[in-house]
Amino acid sequence: MMEVGVGLLGIYGMGGVGKTTLLSQINNKFRTVSNDFDIAIWVVVSKNPTVKRIQEDIGKRLDLYNEGWEQKTENEIASTIKRSLENKKYMLLLDDMWTKVDLANIGIPVPKRNGSKIAFTSRSNEVCGKMGVDKEIEVTCLMWDDAWDLFTRNMKETLESHPKIPEVAKSIARKCNGLPLALNVIGETMARKKSIEEWHDAVGVFSGIEADILSILKFSYDDLKCEKTKSCFLFSALFPEDYEIGKDDLIEYWVGQGIILGSKGINYKGYTIIGTLTRAYLLKESETKEKVKMHDVVREMALWISSGCGDQKQKNVLVVEANAQLRDIPKIEDQKAVRRMSLIYNQIEEACESLHCPKLETLLLRDNRLRKISREFLSHVPILMVLDLSLNPNLIELPSFSHLYSLRYLNLSCTGITSLPDDLYALSNLLYLNLEHTYMLKRIYEIHYLPNLEVLKLYASGIDISDKLVRQIQAMKHLYLLTITLRNSSGLEIFLGDTRFSSYTEGLTLDEQSYYQSLKVPLATISSSRFLEIQDSHIPKIEIEGSSSNESERVGPRVRSDISFINLRKVRLDNCTGLKDLTWLVFAPHLATLYVVCLPNIEHIISRSEESRLQETCELAGVIPFRELEFLTLRNLGQLKSIYSDPLLFGKLKEINIKSCPKLTKLPLDSRSAWKQNVVINAEEEWLQGLQWKDVATKERFFPS
């Protein structure tokens, strides 16, 4: 890539051979090793890409994406991207290209002009030719020695458990034909087998397997011991190629489908299944560990299994046309056979013609352009359990739900709906209702008439959370998860005064709150919350009312050592006046993301005047400040002088983002901080040059990244 004259590099090879792994290693190297590139940009292209989606990913990386982005034309966005990049030396990495992409239409300047580089991966050598690459590299399957090393890398104990296992293992490894994906998946499956009888049984299975990759990979699926795990895996293939989905979101789908049961707090059964699938290389965790996705070849295998492994009689059981650029609901040859239908991420505007699918259990229409759904569309799907209409901002009116007797999961988040149909409240089997980001929805009525509702998501909706609505939520006996945004003072006093909410409030957002003295929050009310947001508010200070005393205590160094926000993972404060420090955050030991933006009065994240007493309290409580923090964002904090006066360990820190914090001249880092991982620091160049490091070793450790 660094050769003079190579501006555009094409990397090609069959699916599962390791192209994405190779490109990600290149990306990681450019992020963490000193180089003269101004920026490295990673974009997943996949099948059926649109210019605007690629532009959006690039725009976000360049910090160009804003509220007006969607209203701009492709040409306008291309001009904006080009202006941003033409004076930069950039590295653009495009993963999983299936067809030629016109870089000029996206706004990418010619790379050779200033030493910029573009590299892409593709399954097709033809794509390399059509892109006019300066150099192409084929990634081939591994030679035997390397293939054997990869197959056995987690198998040392197994190979030593019986003298005949190594010989049998070699015969199975050769079936993988040197393909890294197959070697990983099958190798991990076989590593758990410690008896020679199990290995001989596997050889018998492999002897009847065809040489194609899907048949080989199916062995790892067949080896899953639990039928629920198999069902969860197959459901996970309904999402588009390269699509990352939150673990909690995926688990809620599984609950809605009836594969597993819902549970209060963390769904340990769901996470156990995800762990089983990731260890088997059937799912892959994102960098943040909060999302998962499928390798595209593994996804092909899952869809093949769901469709009867090529059995023509079962080809219509599954309809998956995700990210297929559809403008209409597809015509289905045998509607009566369809059990699951995924039309995620298309351009469908209307759903009018009735679906006559008596066996349909799942319908995913999220992320389209829906603006109209006819009354008849859902009138003949009597056993539908999962319906996802989210991410359709132009969808204002909903159809009747009177025929959806079996519906358990309903996602209406990020839509433009203004009201809910009256018959929604008659859905006696409904377990999950998501109304997050429904800004135009102002009221919901008689929510307590949904007797079995377990999950209610109201975060960032336009709903007026009145005292009456809070009391209705209080009366819901089966609720185990709630997200809610409280605006002004409406419903706030009743909510904060009822400790019952503490057992199921996953997320709490306070918006447009105004206090002259302090906001008093009972500890019990937020003890179970996984995220807390305060925005557009004036709060001079926050006080916590302890669980064992009526006395209010300021959250900070004077707080008792037993007070701890044990579940809090994400805190966001945006446009809040009054607050001068956030010392109470020390007592959120599992905090992973901290986002602090536009707090004009804040001077310290952790109050310097109280640090000595705070350290003593932390020692008594066994608390290590920010030990699990992964992402720290500080922006537009004109008075901020410090984060913490002493260096911190930061055992999981991955990224620091600093912008417009002119008085912040030091970071709480030394050469031992975050020693297990590389930390990326994003900030203005002038600020970075003026940063005061603990010592030379610390600067050498962090400045290159």
Side-chain angles (χ1 to χ4, degrees), residues 14-18 21 139-142 150 176-186 281:
M14 66 183 294
V17 80
T21 301
V139 183
T140 59
C141 291
L142 301 177
L150 182 58
C176 298
N177 296 316
L179 187 69
L181 177 65
L183 291 162
N184 271 326
V185 172
I186 304 304
Y281 287 89

Side-chain angles (χ1 to χ4, degrees), residues 192 194 472 667:
R192 300 190 294 270
K194 301 295 174 63
Q472 289 180 356
L667 295 175

Side-chain angles (χ1 to χ4, degrees), residues 375-390:
R375 185 178 181 84
E376 297 77 24
F377 180 66
L378 297 172
S379 59
H380 297 286
V381 285
I383 66 169
L384 187 68
M385 290 191 284
V386 174
L387 176 60
D388 191 344
L389 299 173
S390 63

Side-chain angles (χ1 to χ4, degrees), residues 257-410:
Q257 187 68 61
I259 303 173
I260 62 174
L261 296 175
S263 72
K264 184 177 177 179
I266 297 173
N267 191 313
Y268 293 109
K269 179 63 176 177
Y271 272 86
T272 297
I273 290 174
I274 288 175
T276 299
L277 295 175
T278 52
R279 286 191 296 274
Y281 287 89
L282 297 176
L283 286 180
K284 182 180 180 181
E285 285 186 321
S286 66
E287 186 177 347
T288 64
K289 307 295 184 183
E290 294 179 354
K291 297 181 178 182
V292 291
K293 69 175 183 178
M294 274 188 177
H295 189 286
D296 50 3
V297 179
V298 173
R299 179 174 177 270
E300 288 173 21
M301 182 260 289
L303 296 176
W304 175 66
I305 293 171
S306 295
S307 300
C309 300
D311 184 351
Q312 290 298 306
K313 294 180 180 179
Q314 297 188 50
K315 69 176 183 178
N316 286 318
V317 169
L318 191 69
V319 177
V320 178
E321 294 284 350
N323 190 21
Q325 303 300 304
L326 298 180
R327 296 185 179 274
D328 300 294
I329 302 292
K331 301 294 182 183
I332 303 167
E333 186 177 323
D334 183 8
Q335 290 195 20
K336 292 182 179 180
V338 180
R339 291 185 180 274
R340 289 176 179 169
M341 185 183 301
S342 174
L343 304 176
I344 296 173
Y345 201 40
N346 283 291
Q347 300 172 33
I348 299 170
E349 296 186 6
E350 294 186 353
C352 296
E353 189 174 333
S354 176
L355 290 175
H356 288 270
C357 301
K359 296 181 180 179
L360 187 66
E361 299 175 352
T362 301
L363 177 58
L364 307 181
L365 275 165
R366 65 181 293 162
D367 211 350
N368 273 274
R369 298 180 180 178
L370 279 173
R371 55 183 177 81
K372 181 181 179 181
I373 301 176
S374 71
R375 185 178 181 84
E376 297 77 24
F377 180 66
L378 297 172
S379 59
H380 297 286
V381 285
I383 66 169
L384 187 68
M385 290 191 284
V386 174
L387 176 60
D388 191 344
L389 299 173
S390 63
L391 292 165
N392 284 287
N394 297 320
L395 183 61
I396 296 173
E397 187 176 353
L398 294 171
S400 169
F401 291 145
S402 61
H403 297 90
L404 303 182
Y405 320 110
S406 304
L407 197 65
R408 293 161 53 97
Y409 175 106
L410 179 59

Side-chain angles (χ1 to χ4, degrees), residues 524-557:
T525 304
I526 59 173
S527 61
S528 68
S529 295
R530 296 175 69 182
F531 71 83
L532 173 66
E533 297 187 358
I534 305 176
Q535 55 192 25
D536 299 330
S537 299
H538 176 77
I539 303 173
K541 64 178 179 178
I542 297 174
E543 292 184 6
I544 294 297
E545 293 183 332
S547 56
S548 60
S549 170
N550 292 324
E551 181 185 357
S552 293
E553 299 184 4
R554 185 182 174 198
V555 182

Side-chain angles (χ1 to χ4, degrees), residues 158-208:
T158 302
L159 293 174
E160 293 174 351
S161 63
H162 194 282
K164 291 187 177 180
I165 285 181
E167 182 183 348
V168 180
K170 289 178 181 178
S171 67
I172 293 177
R174 287 192 177 93
K175 268 283 189 179
C176 298
N177 296 316
L179 187 69
L181 177 65
L183 291 162
N184 271 326
V185 172
I186 304 304
E188 189 62 35
T189 299
M190 297 305 300
R192 300 190 294 270
K193 301 183 185 299
K194 301 295 174 63
S195 71
I196 187 62
E197 291 81 10
E198 290 178 292
W199 279 84
H200 280 307
D201 180 64
V203 169
V205 173
F206 268 90
S207 65

